[in-house]
Amino acid sequence: MKKYTGIIAAAALLLTVLMSNAAGFVRDGERLDRLRDEVLRLHIIANSDSVEDQRLKLCVRDAILEHSSEFFGEADDRCEAETEAADKLPQICRLAEQTLRKEGCYADVKAEITDMVFDERTYGDITMPAGKYRALRITIGEAAGHNWWCVLFPPLCIPAACGVVDDEETEEESFDEEELDILRKPKKYRVRFALWDKMKSWWG
C-alpha cells in the first residue's frame, strides 16, 4: 500500500509541475500577443541593394522620423496611431517622394498600412519577437532591396546625427515589466514563442 501511495504522490506532483508549466506557457503566449497588438512598426523597402538605393532608403527614413510627431504625435495607443497613419498616407507618400526628388531619384513610392510577418529583429537594446504585426510599409521603386525597420508606435525611433537611436525612456513608459523582459531577453522566450505560434496555427 505504501508503494502505491508513493506512486500516486509522485504522479500528482508531476501533474502539478506540468500544469504549472502549461499555465506559464499560456501566460507567456498571451503576453506576446498583447505586445504585438500594442506595436505599429515602420518598414521601408529600398528599390535595390545598390549603395545609392540603400542611401536613398535612409534619406526617406530620416524624413519620416523627423516628421513623425506631425503624423502620429497625438496617438495614445496603437489603434489611434494606425488610424492617424492611415489618414495621412497621402502626406507620408508625398514626403517620401519629395525627399527622393531632392536627391535626384524619380522612383515611385507606395505607402500603406498592412499586416506583416517579421523575423526576430534587434534594435538598440530591444529585440522584437518574430511574428505578425501591423506596419506602415513604404516601398520605393521595385522594392527589391534590403529593408529597414523600427517601432513607430510607441515612438522608439529617435533621429540622431549618426542615424537613429532607440528611446529607452519611452520603452520604460510604454511597456510593463513583463513586456520589457520579453524585449530584452529574447533567448529566454524564443523557443516558447515559436511553439506558441505553432499551436495557434493548429487551432486555426
Side-chain angles (χ1 to χ4, degrees):
M1 179 64 69
K2 289 183 178 179
K3 178 180 179 180
Y4 290 118
T5 300
I7 292 174
I8 292 172
L13 179 59
L14 177 61
L15 180 60
T16 299
V17 172
L18 290 174
M19 290 179 65
S20 175
N21 286 339
F25 174 75
V26 172
R27 184 177 61 251
D28 286 345
E30 290 175 343
R31 287 161 55 193
L32 171 64
D33 290 342
R34 185 174 69 246
L35 174 64
R36 287 172 175 162
D37 193 55
E38 293 173 350
V39 169
L40 179 67
R41 299 176 71 159
L42 173 63
H43 190 238
I44 304 175
I45 310 175
N47 178 61
S48 77
D49 281 334
S50 73
V51 173
E52 178 63 8
D53 283 343
Q54 289 296 309
R55 184 187 72 83
L56 291 170
K57 174 191 70 178
L58 298 182
C59 288
V60 170
R61 173 201 70 184
D62 293 345
I64 296 298
L65 293 181
E66 285 171 7
H67 291 80
S68 60
S69 61
E70 302 171 23
F71 295 142
F72 325 106
E74 302 302 318
D76 293 322
D77 56 39
R78 194 271 302 166
C79 289
E80 286 188 15
E82 181 177 330
T83 298
E84 290 187 23
D87 289 342
K88 294 173 181 174
L89 284 177
Q91 294 98 307
I92 294 170
C93 190
R94 185 161 54 250
L95 174 61
E97 289 176 340
Q98 290 172 348
T99 301
L100 292 174
R101 303 302 179 258
K102 290 179 181 178
E103 300 294 326
C105 174
Y106 293 88
D108 293 330
V109 176
K110 180 180 179 182
E112 60 184 330
I113 303 293
T114 185
D115 288 322
M116 291 192 62
V117 176
F118 288 85
D119 295 330
E120 181 181 277
R121 301 290 184 90
T122 298
Y123 185 79
D125 68 341
I126 65 170
T127 297
M128 297 300 297
K132 183 184 289 185
Y133 295 81
R134 297 294 285 171
L136 167 60
R137 179 169 62 187
I138 299 172
T139 54
I140 303 172
E142 298 297 321
H146 279 83
N147 62 78
W148 185 89
W149 76 274
C150 74
V151 177
L152 192 59
F153 187 90
L156 303 185
C157 306
I158 302 177
C162 58
V164 178
V165 298
D166 60 317
D167 187 340
E168 295 183 8
E169 182 177 344
T170 300
E171 290 172 18
E172 298 283 351
E173 294 173 351
S174 302
F175 301 107
D176 61 30
E177 290 185 8
E178 292 181 338
E179 292 168 333
L180 287 171
D181 196 59
I182 290 173
L183 295 173
R184 293 173 177 171
K185 300 176 182 178
K187 293 182 180 179
K188 176 180 176 181
Y189 296 97
R190 192 171 290 139
V191 173
R192 296 171 71 83
F193 288 165
L195 290 173
W196 173 257
D197 285 337
K198 177 61 71 176
M199 290 181 62
K200 285 177 60 181
S201 71
W202 291 340
W203 299 335

